Amino acid sequence: MAALRMIALLLLTCCAGCGTPHATLPTHEKIMIGGELWNLELAMDEEAIRRGLMDRTTLPKDGGMLFIFPDTDYRSFWMANCLIDIDILFLDDRGTISATHEMKVEPPRTAQESQFAYESRLRNYESVYPARFAIELPAGSIQRLQVKPNQRLKMDTQRLKSLRNSADRTRSDRSSS
């Protein structure tokens, strides 16, 4: 009888994760930028990318956000509902910086202003060339780290692309269930 219980326990332990098709995806990625290690939040779906760092009042000194897009294309960011200045780096699919911008807080939407009017007045910050990734950092980071276009960051771009693909498959599996 004890042997049967042990076998049942082993089977339960081995199959504990069988019901979940994908492992839990990471929420952060550590990347070396300008000789410093950064712990970046991951934005790997359309909602997280749209939301970005909106409504944040602070960022950790070594923190920010890494946006992983599903493809390489021209990108544009704005500072809608952002409460702090943010630096942004656009990167191609190999991790080479294509553009940097020091994005400034915009005046908030007024009661008399439509959403369309508000969004129309916001400055757009362009990737210049097609980008697969974007990194947002605390204001002043670009200058302090001395990062500029054509520099390549040490990051496992293939792994990051694979993470995005896994996130897309997980969402697809959930919506078809």
Side-chain angles (χ1 to χ4, degrees):
M1 191 64 158
L4 285 174
R5 275 192 220 148
M6 184 60 84
I7 290 171
L9 183 60
L10 283 171
L11 285 173
L12 283 172
T13 303
C14 290
C15 293
C18 295
T20 53
H22 302 284
T24 302
L25 294 170
T27 59
H28 288 73
E29 181 77 10
K30 291 189 184 303
I31 293 182
M32 190 69 74
I33 305 171
E36 296 179 14
L37 189 60
W38 293 80
N39 188 30
L40 304 174
E41 291 178 52
L42 294 177
M44 296 189 287
D45 62 53
E46 295 315 308
E47 176 56 25
I49 288 171
R50 185 197 63 73
R51 189 176 56 253
L53 295 174
M54 286 181 178
D55 301 314
R56 308 276 180 105
T57 56
T58 62
L59 281 177
K61 187 181 86 144
D62 66 341
M65 186 169 278
L66 169 60
F67 298 81
I68 306 172
F69 298 101
D71 56 9
T72 301
D73 203 352
Y74 290 93
R75 308 286 176 202
S76 180
F77 277 51
W78 59 9
M79 293 289 283
N81 304 311
C82 291
L83 307 175
I84 56 175
D85 294 344
I86 301 169
D87 286 359
I88 189 167
L89 315 174
F90 288 101
L91 300 100
D92 67 14
D93 64 345
R94 297 170 302 142
T96 302
I97 300 171
S98 63
T100 65
H101 299 283
E102 296 170 352
M103 303 188 299
K104 301 298 180 192
V105 171
E106 298 272 359
R109 180 179 166 200
T110 65
Q112 300 79 24
E113 195 172 28
S114 70
Q115 187 66 29
F116 178 78
Y118 170 65
E119 291 175 0
S120 295
R121 74 168 161 82
L122 297 177
R123 178 174 175 199
N124 286 294
Y125 298 90
E126 309 287 335
S127 62
V128 181
Y129 297 102
R132 180 70 188 258
F133 308 98
I135 297 175
E136 290 184 335
L137 300 171
S141 297
I142 290 171
Q143 291 295 320
R144 189 173 57 73
L145 300 170
Q146 299 181 3
V147 292
K148 48 183 108 21
N150 295 323
Q151 288 180 334
R152 192 167 184 178
L153 299 186
K154 280 191 144 191
M155 51 194 254
D156 189 344
T157 57
Q158 292 304 332
R159 183 178 155 286
L160 294 172
K161 292 174 196 176
S162 178
L163 278 176
R164 171 63 196 241
N165 291 338
S166 294
D168 289 345
R169 278 193 306 276
T170 299
R171 276 187 302 285
S172 175
D173 290 350
R174 284 185 194 143
S175 66
S176 64
S177 297

